[in-house]
């Protein structure tokens, strides 16, 4: 049987089956559709203006590594005029983050972008290893998510950027849609499919990979031989998200469009005005000066609990005061 020809160019032998569409295509056509779809997402959402200083949240994992690479390619190909930076957070997890940060340092050289690394230790005086020693493994991601969010904002302010890009992909967003439905969190459901979010006084965050399938990110990294770190965090991530992920993978196996369909469903939900989270008046944290709707920001509330040796209790109290663990929970990238 003659080799199958690429269904897009009809000239070259097909070497892969595209996960998103099922088409058999050649390597060059895969690069072209993968990169062009991201460019189209960026253009439709009008994400940038020439001269913008933009930070890519870089962990050394596949998503952020491919994001840094593709942003560099698109910035040059389409003259976006962006000043691109890498911004990494060192949570202080031995055997995981120290190794992945070595990958980011190599990416800095490979992609010729300035890199800023900020650690929990220098910002908060606590590493995740020490936090886990104190609070155990149950609430570790809550601490980590709150601290990372603030650390990224502080890092962005430090290098003078006002826009952070994260590597959240279509699978992550579809999972979040499912989780918000399963939790009945309708206010968050209305926001989780937005490509850009920006709270009052916070730095803009965008997800250029909003419609990009995880499998295609892995494939792209593989064919381009990108240098990324693939080990999972040694502290157990969110179990509930794990169930949503398994469910989504099962759906994808029987119908690949399930991921995009779920995102489109999330986008189509209309959230009634009274259900949307009411913005509380913003003030500044009396301890660290970060913006906050309470006397203490979320990070400082958690830190005070840790300092009193009551880390676990601080999380419970935080919830009672309206801290939302779902918001804190961040994908580890
Ligand atoms: Fe932090 Fe992610 Fe590890 Fe949780 S899984 S402790 S959020 S790095
Ligand atoms: Zn082709
Ligand atoms: Zn604070």
């Amino acid at each position: 049987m003659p080799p199958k020809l690429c269904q897009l160019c009809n000239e070259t032998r097909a070497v892969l089956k595209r996960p998103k569409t099922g088409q058999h295509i050649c390597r060059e056509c895969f690069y072209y559709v993968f990169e062009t779809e991201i460019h189209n997402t960026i253009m439709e959402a009008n994400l940038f203006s020439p001269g913008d200083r933009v930070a890519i949240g870089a962990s050394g994992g596949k998503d952020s590594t491919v994001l840094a690479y593709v942003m560099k390619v698109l910035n040059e190909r389409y003259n976006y005029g962006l000043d691109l930076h890498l911004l990494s957070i060192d949570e202080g997890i031995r055997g995981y983050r120290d190794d992945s940060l070595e990958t980011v340092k190599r990416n800095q050289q490979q992609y010729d972008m300035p890199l800023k690394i900020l650690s929990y230790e220098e910002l908060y005086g606590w590493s995740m290893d020490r936090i886990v020693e104190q609070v155990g493994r149950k609430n570790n991601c809550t601490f980590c998510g709150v601290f990372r969010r603030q650390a990224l904002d502080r890092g962005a302010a430090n290098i003078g950027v006002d826009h952070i890009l994260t590597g959240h992909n279509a699978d992550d967003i579809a999972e979040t849609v499912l989780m918000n439905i399963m939790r009945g969190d309708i206010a968050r459901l209305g926001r989780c499919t937005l490509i850009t979010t920006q709270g009052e006084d916070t730095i803009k965050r965008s997800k250029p990979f909003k419609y990009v399938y995880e499998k295609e990110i892995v494939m792209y990294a593989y064919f381009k031989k990108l240098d990324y770190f693939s080990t999972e965090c040694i502290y157990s991530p969110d179990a509930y998200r794990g169930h949503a992920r398994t469910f989504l993978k099962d759906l994808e196996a029987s119908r690949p469009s399930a991921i995009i369909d779920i995102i489109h469903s999330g986008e189509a939900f209309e959230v009634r005005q009274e259900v949307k989270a009411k913005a509380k008046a913003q003030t500044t944290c009396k301890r660290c000066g970060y913006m906050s709707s309470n006397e203490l920001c979320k990070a400082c509330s958690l830190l005070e609990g840790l300092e009193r040796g009551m880390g676990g209790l601080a999380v419970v109290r935080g919830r009672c005061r309206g801290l939302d663990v779902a918001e804190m929970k961040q994908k580890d990238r």
Side-chain angles (χ1 to χ4, degrees):
M1 222 172 74
K4 242 187 211 165
L5 279 185
C6 167
Q7 289 177 266
L8 292 178
C9 67
N10 250 324
E11 284 174 2
T12 316
R13 193 167 64 88
V15 293
L16 61 96
K17 184 177 171 197
R18 195 175 173 202
K20 197 171 184 176
T21 59
Q23 291 167 308
H24 293 268
I25 59 177
C26 71
R27 195 178 294 201
E28 287 307 315
C29 284
F30 173 61
Y31 296 156
Y32 179 78
V33 290
F34 184 89
E35 292 159 3
T36 307
E37 284 177 10
I38 297 163
H39 170 64
N40 292 343
T41 303
I42 289 172
M43 288 294 113
E44 274 160 30
N46 209 2
L47 279 194
F48 309 118
S49 304
D52 282 356
R53 279 167 72 87
V54 176
I56 296 162
S59 67
K62 63 180 185 340
D63 300 305
S64 62
T65 302
V66 173
L67 181 62
Y69 179 85
V70 170
M71 284 307 302
K72 183 177 171 66
V73 167
L74 297 180
N75 195 29
E76 288 167 5
R77 182 181 301 159
Y78 297 104
N79 293 319
Y80 290 167
L82 302 178
D83 181 11
L84 295 170
H85 295 249
L86 296 173
L87 174 58
S88 293
I89 305 302
D90 179 0
E91 298 94 344
I93 303 174
R94 258 191 319 275
Y96 168 62
R97 188 56 84 216
D98 41 2
D99 290 340
S100 71
L101 284 174
E102 288 307 312
T103 312
V104 181
K105 288 177 194 161
R106 289 198 300 277
N107 292 158
Q108 172 193 15
Q109 306 293 325
Q110 292 153 351
Y111 307 155
D112 191 25
M113 287 180 201
L115 164 67
K116 171 80 187 167
I117 302 178
L118 271 180
S119 72
Y120 285 1
E121 185 72 56
E122 64 187 290
L123 284 175
Y124 309 112
W126 288 78
S127 66
M128 273 311 293
D129 284 337
R130 267 187 66 219
I131 292 173
V132 170
E133 250 173 50
Q134 177 155 331
V135 307
R137 290 197 176 201
K138 204 152 186 290
N139 294 316
N140 50 291
C141 293
T142 301
F143 283 85
C144 200
V146 172
F147 289 172
R148 186 185 296 113
R149 184 158 197 88
Q150 199 179 102
L152 279 172
D153 278 346
R154 288 184 187 277
N158 184 291
I159 55 178
V161 308
D162 48 18
H163 195 168
I164 301 173
L165 305 182
T166 58
H168 292 85
N169 58 44
D171 298 49
D172 300 322
I173 295 172
E175 268 166 41
T176 307
V177 170
L178 291 175
M179 286 172 67
N180 285 329
I181 292 173
M182 293 188 293
R183 281 196 293 240
D185 192 340
I186 305 305
R188 216 166 284 281
L189 178 62
R191 291 196 299 273
C192 72
T193 55
L194 298 175
I195 188 162
T196 297
T197 50
Q198 182 168 28
E200 224 177 288
D201 292 330
T202 54
I203 287 169
K204 187 156 93 173
R205 286 160 195 257
S206 300
K207 307 175 187 113
F209 282 178
K210 177 181 171 186
Y211 296 118
V212 182
Y213 276 34
E214 183 171 67
K215 282 183 180 161
E216 299 202 352
I217 292 174
V218 175
M219 231 173 218
Y220 187 88
Y222 171 78
F223 283 122
K224 288 275 185 184
K225 298 189 172 55
L226 300 186
D227 182 6
Y228 70 93
F229 183 79
S230 56
T231 306
E232 293 283 325
C233 175
I234 55 171
Y235 301 129
S236 46
D238 182 4
Y240 200 51
R241 182 173 281 277
H243 293 308
R245 170 155 288 235
T246 307
F247 177 53
L248 187 71
K249 294 286 177 218
D250 286 348
L251 291 177
E252 186 195 8
S254 58
R255 199 165 62 112
S257 70
I259 294 173
I260 286 291
D261 293 342
I262 290 170
I263 296 176
H264 286 156
S265 301
E267 288 169 336
F269 275 115
E270 278 209 24
V271 179
R272 288 201 314 272
Q273 197 58 36
E274 61 267 32
V275 177
K276 288 181 182 166
K278 292 187 189 74
K280 277 175 129 185
Q282 291 285 320
T283 167
T284 47
C285 170
K286 71 172 189 196
R287 182 171 145 150
C288 74
Y290 189 75
M291 82 256 160
S292 171
S293 44
N294 296 306
E295 263 199 350
L296 287 180
C297 71
K298 290 173 185 175
C300 288
S301 307
L302 292 172
L303 282 170
E304 290 214 335
L306 281 173
E307 285 155 7
R308 289 199 303 268
M310 301 187 298
L313 191 59
V315 173
V316 175
R317 283 220 193 114
R319 278 195 194 119
C320 296
R321 282 208 307 267
L323 282 189
D324 191 328
V325 174
E327 183 194 19
M328 302 167 183
K329 194 70 78 180
Q330 295 205 350
K331 181 177 166 270
D332 161 42
R333 304 43 258 134

